[in-house]
Amino acid sequence: MTDERDSIRGAGTRSVPDHIGSAQCTAAGDDDKPMAIVVMGVCGSGKSVLGRELADSLEWPFVEGDDFHPPENVGKMSAGVPLDDDDRWGWLRSLAARMDDETSGGGSVVMACSALKRSYRDILRRPRTVFVYLDGSRDELERRLAARTGHFMKKEMLDSQLATLEPPDDGERHLRIDAGWGLTVHEEARLVLDGLGLSS
């Protein structure tokens, strides 16, 4: 994992408090346009928790991607069977449609979605979509999964998700948060808001 201290690409450099660390983002301009923040990463990375925290802070609607899986997908994952591309295309298109609904009137939205591959993110990508990538070591992800209850995603599926994962590259507008930094969700949200220039 690379050292990304004080590196915010695209719109100049914004510093963040030393005890929090830093993140990088290719920030968008035109603040009056709609904006979608997609919190992405493998299972157990904390997408939903951070997404809700960001939505509450910004007073934006929050969309939980897991809620849009059809019953067939939920059944497969509950049985520990990984999803393939064909399982995901329709799900991603439904999320993109919901994103468009939320932003078409000039609004903004926060969404939690694994968005593991670039081709998946392309379906969600809009001129002002920013992906917040929750990265982490396998040990940290396993720890978080072990602590989670009441979710259909089995911890045994972490291997398949890590194998599928294509982290965002420099050509994609994104901000990376490392679970190894040991931040609280409030600190993670603060880091994201600072990085995107959305702090109040």
Side-chain angles (χ1 to χ4, degrees):
M1 297 177 185
T2 59
D3 181 8
E4 295 172 341
R5 299 198 58 80
D6 298 329
S7 174
I8 299 175
R9 293 194 291 265
T13 299
R14 300 187 186 96
S15 297
V16 295
D18 288 341
H19 75 283
I20 289 183
S22 66
Q24 63 179 19
C25 179
T26 306
D30 300 329
D31 290 342
D32 59 331
K33 291 184 179 179
M35 184 175 187
I37 298 174
V38 179
V39 185
M40 60 159 289
V42 300
C43 56
S45 57
K47 300 181 294 293
S48 298
V49 175
L50 177 56
R52 290 190 179 95
E53 180 75 15
L54 290 170
D56 288 346
S57 296
L58 293 166
E59 298 184 343
W60 291 3
F62 174 69
V63 175
E64 172 54 73
D66 285 344
D67 292 344
F68 286 72
H69 277 296
E72 296 80 7
N73 285 6
V74 175
K76 288 183 71 170
M77 290 185 285
S78 297
V81 178
L83 301 182
D84 58 25
D85 287 353
D86 288 339
D87 295 320
R88 290 186 170 108
W89 297 132
W91 169 63
L92 289 162
R93 285 192 289 269
S94 68
L95 287 174
R98 178 59 179 271
M99 180 188 294
D100 291 341
D101 286 345
E102 294 289 353
T103 59
S104 62
S108 300
V109 66
V110 179
M111 177 178 290
C113 173
S114 53
L116 298 175
K117 292 184 178 181
R118 179 161 187 157
S119 59
Y120 301 167
R121 295 190 292 274
D122 286 343
I123 295 175
L124 301 173
R125 203 182 315 278
R126 300 293 184 272
R128 294 221 50 210
T129 301
V130 176
F131 293 94
V132 175
Y133 168 42
L134 290 177
D135 195 3
S137 69
R138 181 186 182 82
D139 287 347
E140 176 61 21
L141 294 168
E142 286 182 334
R143 185 191 68 77
R144 293 186 180 201
L145 279 170
R148 188 169 67 171
T149 60
H151 194 278
F152 56 75
M153 179 72 76
K154 303 300 184 184
K155 66 179 182 180
E156 292 78 13
M157 295 182 64
L158 179 59
D159 283 339
S160 68
Q161 292 218 336
L162 288 171
T164 302
L165 177 65
E166 298 172 0
D169 59 32
D170 290 346
E172 299 182 76
R173 180 175 295 154
H174 75 283
L175 183 151
R176 175 180 168 274
I177 301 290
D178 190 331
W181 288 340
L183 309 181
T184 67
V185 66
H186 177 74
E187 288 172 333
E188 287 181 342
R190 179 182 172 191
L191 184 55
V192 171
L193 297 176
D194 285 350
L196 298 179
L198 293 172
S199 298
S200 56

